[in-house]
């Protein structure tokens, strides 16, 4: 009896695994699979293979030719012992065999985009984006997050748009500024969604075509084209191509996997052997540049945390009849923080919320919540604001005082740690470092254009890997061999993370590597320290980023110094404002 033969293509990308199983010799697609791997390709890939081959249970004796592609695929292919195929070549193979009338292929993936030009009798001209994720699915994901909507809602929103606004699509960092500006101007989510899709299309064409004429027929493939039909409209406009001159590939998101299967050759293996392929990749090899673990055990972490809580035991007060209170608000570019203090500097009310580009509304809602919780008869003797929306809130709500952020953070640190020698505040997109000598500020440093040492740096990659930032930070505490990701910007870090996954690094080790990277960026790129002696011995950290104990610990290990933090590090700017209000009121 003849044995059936199949070809299997496995596309291991930075965020997903795609598989395509083809029957030989007719090359019909008999099964596909698509799933996010959440930085654990070995476990997810093994389960996907099991489910994939369950669909051809009658072919238990079949033989399979296997090949691997994708940005993370090379290292996995080597450990599996199967051939690796470059994904652009794989996509070109699909066009040659299945779409012979196509002259231009445009493929947008999660973190890459590619364009291939086909001309009879000539080698295909293949172009791919570099380290920048502008013009990719990740860029669309980031915009959905900023708008507070699910990625599935982007298409419906864009279909309702009335106006297109310019957005810098070359980089996720720069685009945030444009999008937040549009949000603050009350531009509709529909117009922003459409403007983003337009920016993605223009970025792909300008970055990849580079003057080359885009000839029909054009084939569009990749997940974004499959799931966001409105993106196709803007891409056609950017390419100056009519709808009838364009096709959307069947199995759009599986094109590289299908091409890899078509290119699979060599020695075939049994279905059972294929099912076990990922088991060979699940043994982690220790990279030569791994870093020390943040904690050696859960017991060590608990002991460390208890010692920190004892250093600054900031207690909460309660509302009392006839009491006097002082209000501080830190209105940042993305969040609003509010603290109400009593006469003994104890917080009696705190609030932290995202402002979604509307600082006024965020503070108004916080005040409503304050009065709902503590009653309307609270006497607020004095108030103070700082941050991005300082002047707006002072004028709109009649607040008494305003203070620059650095002074607010310094006052908070000095109140809780009188001998403080260095204050480091890391927020979502900014960083402030305050050097203190003899109780006075000696020097202040802030980050400029780079956000790689800030909270959004960790948040962006946590979400790209499929985790909430809090869970991601807790994973870092368990890492045994933190991966050294170096000091790179948000855009170029993508390639480093892919390298870590290719080498089999665990998600815990990658998470810990980010904690180290945030601090390294701060110490070496922003502060450019010559010696850690510049920090002194009484260091205090503030800002939402330091709710991640992994980042605090990384600072301690890298500097060799003890670091203090309060129970409310994300609220310290507002706490300092409330202290300033009390001081100005003469209390």
């Amino acid at each position: 009896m003849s044995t059936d033969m199949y070809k299997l293509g496995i596309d291991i990308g930075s965020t997903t695994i795609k598989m395509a199983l083809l029957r030989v010799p007719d090359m019909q697609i008999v099964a596909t699979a698509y799933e996010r791997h959440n930085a654990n390709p070995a476990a997810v890939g093994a389960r996907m293979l099991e489910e994939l081959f369950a669909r051809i249970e009658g072919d238990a004796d079949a033989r399979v030719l296997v090949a691997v592609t994708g940005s993370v695929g090379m290292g996995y292919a080597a450990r599996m012992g199967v051939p690796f195929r470059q994904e652009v070549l794989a996509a070109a193979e699909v066009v040659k065999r299945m779409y012979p009338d196509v002259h231009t292929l445009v493929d947008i993936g999660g973190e890459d985009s590619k364009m291939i030009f086909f001309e009879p009798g000539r080698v295909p001209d293949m172009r791919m984006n570099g380290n920048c994720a502008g013009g990719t699915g990740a860029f669309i994901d980031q915009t959905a997050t900023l708008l507070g909507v699910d990625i599935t809602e982007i298409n419906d929103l864009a279909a309702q748009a009335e106006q297109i606004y310019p957005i810098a699509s070359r980089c996720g960092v720069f685009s945030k500024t444009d999008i937040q500006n549009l949000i603050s101007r009350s531009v509709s989510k529909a117009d922003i969604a459409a403007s983003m899709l337009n920016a993605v299309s223009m970025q792909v064409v300008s970055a990849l075509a580079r003057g080359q004429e885009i000839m029909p027929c054009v084939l569009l493939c990749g997940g974004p084209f499959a799931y966001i039909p409105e993106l196709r409209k803007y891409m056609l406009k950017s390419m100056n191509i009519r709808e009838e001159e364009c096709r959307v590939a069947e199995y759009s998101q599986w094109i590289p996997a299908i091409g890899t299967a078509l290119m699979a050759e060599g020695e075939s293996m049994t279905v059972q052997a294929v099912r076990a392929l990922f088991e060979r990749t699940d043994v982690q090899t220790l990279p030569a540049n791994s870093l020390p673990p943040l904690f050696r055990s859960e017991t060590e972490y608990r002991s460390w945390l208890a010692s920190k809580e004892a250093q600054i035991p900031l207690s909460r007060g309660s509302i009392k009849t006839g009491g006097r209170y002082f209000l501080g608000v830190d209105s940042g570019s993305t969040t609003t923080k509010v603290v109400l203090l009593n006469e003994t500097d104890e917080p009696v009310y705190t609030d932290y919320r995202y402002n979604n580009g509307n600082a006024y509304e965020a503070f108004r809602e916080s005040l409503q919540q304050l009065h709902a919780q503590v009653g309307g008869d609270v006497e607020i003797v004095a108030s103070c604001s700082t941050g991005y929306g300082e002047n707006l809130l002072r004028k709109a709500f009649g607040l008494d005082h305003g203070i620059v952020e650095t002074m607010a953070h310094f006052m908070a640190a000095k109140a809780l740690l009188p001998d403080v020698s260095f204050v480091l505040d890391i927020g979502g997109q900014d960083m402030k470092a305050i050097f203190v000598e003899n109780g006075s500020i000696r020097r202040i440093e802030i980050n400029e254009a780079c956000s790689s040492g800030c909270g959004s740096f960790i948040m962006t990659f946590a979400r790209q890997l499929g985790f909430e930032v809090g869970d991601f930070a807790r994973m870092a505490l368990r890492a045994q061999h933190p991966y050294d990701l170096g000091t790179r910007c948000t855009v170029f870090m993508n390639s480093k993370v892919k390298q870590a996954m290719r080498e089999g690094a665990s998600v815990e080790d990658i998470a810990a590597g980010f904690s180290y990277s945030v601090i390294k960026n701060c110490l070496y790129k922003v502060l450019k320290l010559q010696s850690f002696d510049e920090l002194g011995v009484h260091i205090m950290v503030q800002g939402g980023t330091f709710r991640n104990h992994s980042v605090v610990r990384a600072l301690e290990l890298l500097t060799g110094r003890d670091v203090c933090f309060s129970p409310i590090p994300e609220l310290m700017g507002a706490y300092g404002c409330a202290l300033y209000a009390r001081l100005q009121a003469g209390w």
Side-chain angles (χ1 to χ4, degrees):
M1 186 176 73
S2 62
T3 301
D4 290 333
M5 179 71 74
Y6 294 91
K7 286 191 171 190
L8 173 65
I10 304 175
D11 179 3
I12 309 177
S14 57
T15 57
T16 61
I17 299 178
K18 284 81 69 178
M19 298 181 182
L21 187 66
L22 280 60
R23 183 173 53 235
V24 178
D26 58 8
M27 296 304 172
Q28 291 298 305
I29 299 170
V30 297
T32 58
Y34 179 104
E35 194 166 332
R36 284 184 176 269
H37 56 62
N38 295 332
N40 192 358
V44 174
R47 177 170 49 76
M48 290 175 68
L49 281 178
E50 195 70 30
E51 294 171 357
L52 191 76
F53 282 103
R55 303 181 201 176
I56 58 167
E57 198 59 49
D59 285 340
D61 297 327
R63 305 288 297 185
V64 186
L65 289 166
V66 183
V68 173
T69 191
S71 57
V72 178
M74 184 176 291
Y76 277 83
R79 291 195 293 280
M80 289 176 177
V82 299
F84 175 80
R85 299 290 181 253
Q86 210 285 329
E87 59 186 300
V88 180
L89 294 175
E93 188 70 19
V94 172
V95 172
K96 286 192 293 184
R97 294 204 194 193
M98 302 172 68
Y99 300 95
D101 59 330
V102 165
H103 287 276
T104 308
L105 177 142
V106 181
D107 182 3
I108 296 181
E111 293 183 4
D112 56 25
S113 56
K114 58 186 78 73
M115 191 174 287
I116 307 176
F117 300 94
F118 298 89
E119 292 186 30
R122 299 184 63 177
V123 175
D125 181 358
M126 306 178 187
R127 304 176 183 187
M128 192 169 181
N129 69 326
N131 287 319
C132 179
T136 67
F139 184 82
I140 300 174
D141 285 345
Q142 288 179 19
T143 303
T145 299
L146 287 172
L147 293 178
V149 301
D150 189 85
I151 187 67
T152 57
E153 299 176 65
I154 288 292
N155 188 74
D156 292 340
L157 284 171
Q160 303 167 28
E162 297 178 356
Q163 185 173 346
I164 298 297
Y165 295 85
I167 292 177
S169 65
R170 64 191 182 278
C171 169
V173 175
F174 297 135
S175 70
K176 276 186 178 181
T177 302
D178 289 345
I179 293 171
Q180 286 170 343
N181 181 47
L182 293 175
I183 293 172
S184 67
R185 290 162 50 191
S186 299
V187 172
S188 71
K189 290 184 179 181
D191 285 353
I192 295 175
S195 299
M196 176 270 298
L197 296 181
N198 181 65
V200 166
S201 302
M202 292 176 64
Q203 172 69 13
V204 170
V205 173
S206 63
L208 300 182
R210 298 192 295 273
Q212 173 75 27
E213 184 178 4
I214 298 175
M215 299 286 293
C217 171
V218 174
L219 181 68
L220 303 179
C221 56
F225 284 127
Y227 300 125
I228 309 175
E230 284 295 305
L231 177 61
R232 307 173 199 168
K233 179 176 74 176
Y234 291 102
M235 182 58 69
L236 292 178
K237 179 181 176 183
S238 297
M239 295 187 297
N240 195 26
I241 293 292
R242 298 192 303 272
E243 189 169 350
E244 59 269 23
E245 297 175 320
C246 175
R247 298 170 64 182
V248 178
E250 188 179 11
Y251 297 102
S252 179
Q253 57 270 52
W254 285 279
I255 292 298
I258 294 170
T260 300
L262 291 170
M263 299 171 73
E265 57 187 25
E267 186 176 347
S268 64
M269 58 182 71
T270 65
V271 169
Q272 192 59 36
V274 175
R275 283 173 164 157
L277 278 177
F278 277 97
E279 293 178 7
R280 307 180 192 176
T281 73
D282 206 20
V283 178
Q284 182 184 354
T285 56
L286 179 60
N289 60 343
S290 63
L291 298 164
L294 299 172
F295 296 99
R296 291 186 293 271
S297 65
E298 178 71 15
T299 301
E300 183 183 29
Y301 167 60
R302 292 297 171 191
S303 176
W304 175 87
L305 185 58
S307 70
K308 297 301 176 185
E309 291 173 345
Q311 286 176 329
I312 303 179
L314 182 62
S315 59
R316 293 187 67 92
S318 58
I319 296 293
K320 297 179 182 179
T321 302
R324 296 176 175 86
Y325 301 93
F326 308 91
L327 182 68
V329 53
D330 180 1
S331 178
S333 58
T334 58
T335 58
T336 296
K337 287 80 67 177
V338 178
V339 172
L340 186 69
L341 297 183
N342 61 17
E343 297 172 56
T344 56
D345 296 343
E346 296 172 321
V348 297
Y349 169 81
T350 60
D351 184 41
Y352 179 100
R353 66 181 64 216
Y354 288 95
N355 56 35
N356 297 318
N358 192 332
Y360 174 89
E361 186 62 23
F363 185 51
R364 187 185 67 82
E365 291 174 356
S366 183
L367 289 179
Q368 287 181 333
Q369 180 176 290
L370 165 63
H371 286 291
Q373 286 188 15
V374 303
D377 57 349
V378 174
E379 181 185 355
I380 298 178
V381 177
S383 55
C384 178
S385 63
T386 192
Y388 179 81
E390 173 196 337
N391 292 328
L392 170 65
L393 298 190
R394 282 187 67 188
K395 293 178 180 178
F397 293 91
L399 303 182
D400 301 307
H401 308 284
I403 185 175
V404 297
E405 289 180 78
T406 48
M407 288 304 300
H409 284 279
F410 174 59
M411 289 194 69
K414 201 169 184 338
L416 299 178
L417 188 64
D419 295 329
V420 64
S421 59
F422 177 71
V423 183
L424 179 61
D425 169 58
I426 300 182
Q429 296 183 40
D430 59 9
M431 177 194 309
K432 295 174 283 290
I434 306 170
F435 296 81
V436 183
E437 187 175 321
N438 298 323
S440 300
I441 296 177
R442 175 173 59 87
R443 166 182 153 211
I444 296 174
E445 297 284 350
I446 61 174
N447 67 321
E448 295 177 354
C450 180
S451 66
S452 61
C454 300
S456 60
F457 180 69
I458 296 179
M459 181 181 293
T460 296
F461 282 95
R463 290 178 175 173
Q464 282 183 14
L465 296 175
F467 299 96
E468 289 301 317
V469 66
D471 296 333
F472 196 62
R474 283 187 288 274
M475 289 177 180
L477 300 174
R478 302 193 298 267
Q480 293 304 301
H481 308 292
Y483 194 94
D484 190 356
L485 296 170
T487 56
R488 312 191 78 186
C489 89
T490 304
V491 176
F492 299 123
M493 186 62 76
N494 282 312
S495 60
K496 198 70 173 179
V497 173
K498 292 173 188 175
Q499 178 182 333
M501 287 192 284
R502 281 196 297 268
E503 294 180 9
S506 69
V507 64
E508 289 84 1
D509 291 344
I510 292 173
F514 274 112
S515 297
Y516 271 111
S517 184
V518 163
I519 297 302
K520 284 186 174 183
N521 273 288
C522 170
L523 298 177
Y524 306 132
K525 290 178 65 177
V526 176
L527 301 181
K528 299 180 175 63
L529 292 179
Q530 300 299 314
S531 169
F532 294 137
D533 292 340
E534 297 179 54
L535 307 179
V537 294
H538 299 291
I539 300 172
M540 187 164 188
V541 294
Q542 304 174 355
T545 300
F546 287 111
R547 285 197 65 84
N548 303 326
H549 295 155
S550 57
V551 181
V552 181
R553 183 59 173 167
L555 177 59
E556 290 191 329
L557 293 178
L558 288 170
T559 62
R561 280 158 169 73
D562 186 54
V563 173
C564 300
F565 58 92
S566 83
I568 50 172
E570 74 280 16
L571 299 171
M572 293 301 281
Y575 183 79
C577 279
L579 290 173
Y580 182 80
R582 181 179 61 77
L583 182 66
Q584 294 302 305
W587 288 80

